[in-house]
Amino acid sequence: MPTCLPLVTRRCHTCASMRFRTSGKFRVNANHKLLDAWLLVLCTGCGETAKLTVLERMNVRSFRPELLERMHANDLGLTAELLQDPVLLRRNRVALDWDDAWRLDTGGRDHLDGEVIDVSVRFTARIPVRPVRLIAEGCGLSRAEVERLIAEEKLVSAVRLRGKLAGDFGFTLKR
């Protein structure tokens, strides 16, 4: 589950830094009957403000009033929702850096004593994480040991455990 908003990976035009933190603030501009909206992000190096386009030249009548109210209130929930939107990320040519922005909640270690353990992993947000890292942290193993268990086929899953995943999956661990 996320613990804070992720950093935005994008090149700063002022200091050439590659990290921006989300300010949680929006800028909305009206030009007659057309609205533009941006999410403001701040460079971690120099503090320069950059804008991520949320809406561009949208007719006022087709704009949901509750969304406009949330933007005017600088709603952090809306910021988190928008950062999860792959269309917004692709449109602005940015990526998210989730390092140190999530935590693993295992519900305790009592379930790890069995000979065969069936585990279901649920993501509360689309956070790309390596399953090997999740399994190692959740089961109290080293990553090398998790890799060894995969090679010995004592750790099996319907999904590929190498690489990154951002969706729910399950695995079975045989000791």
Side-chain angles (χ1 to χ4, degrees):
M1 64 179 49
T3 57
C4 62
L5 293 174
L7 294 176
V8 176
T9 304
R10 169 187 172 159
R11 189 174 186 280
C12 178
H13 298 294
T14 306
C15 71
S17 172
M18 291 297 292
R19 303 270 188 257
F20 284 80
R21 65 181 172 81
T22 308
S23 68
K25 297 184 188 262
F26 292 90
R27 174 157 187 242
V28 180
N29 187 35
N31 185 1
H32 298 287
K33 293 184 180 182
L34 301 177
L35 288 176
D36 295 312
W38 300 276
L39 174 62
L40 303 179
V41 293
L42 303 170
C43 177
T44 57
C46 65
E48 183 72 20
T49 301
K51 299 184 289 188
L52 301 181
T53 303
V54 177
L55 301 170
E56 202 168 34
R57 299 288 173 201
M58 189 170 195
N59 192 309
V60 174
R61 291 179 189 246
S62 63
F63 199 76
R64 294 191 336 248
E66 63 273 2
L67 183 61
L68 185 60
E69 288 174 21
R70 289 178 74 187
M71 285 184 181
H72 283 300
N74 293 321
D75 184 5
L76 277 177
L78 178 60
T79 301
E81 288 173 28
L82 290 173
L83 287 176
Q84 295 289 321
D85 184 9
V87 175
L88 180 115
L89 299 175
R90 191 171 39 254
R91 178 189 309 144
N92 289 284
R93 296 186 183 127
V94 298
L96 299 179
D97 179 8
W98 283 98
D99 291 346
D100 302 323
W102 61 273
R103 72 177 172 87
L104 179 63
D105 184 14
T106 61
R109 301 230 181 254
D110 298 336
H111 59 281
L112 298 177
D113 297 335
E115 191 68 29
V116 176
I117 304 166
D118 270 333
V119 178
S120 177
V121 179
R122 290 187 330 246
F123 287 78
T124 58
R126 293 184 45 83
I127 303 171
V129 180
R130 296 186 186 283
V132 170
R133 180 178 177 190
L134 280 179
I135 294 167
E137 286 184 24
C139 296
L141 304 170
S142 69
R143 289 190 203 169
E145 185 159 1
V146 171
E147 292 286 351
R148 183 184 58 77
L149 290 170
I150 292 171
E152 293 175 356
E153 296 182 357
K154 291 185 176 181
L155 179 61
V156 293
S157 177
V159 299
R160 188 171 175 259
L161 294 176
R162 292 184 174 90
K164 288 189 176 183
L165 286 176
D168 299 347
F169 69 98
F171 66 90
T172 302
L173 175 62
K174 303 170 196 165
R175 296 200 183 236

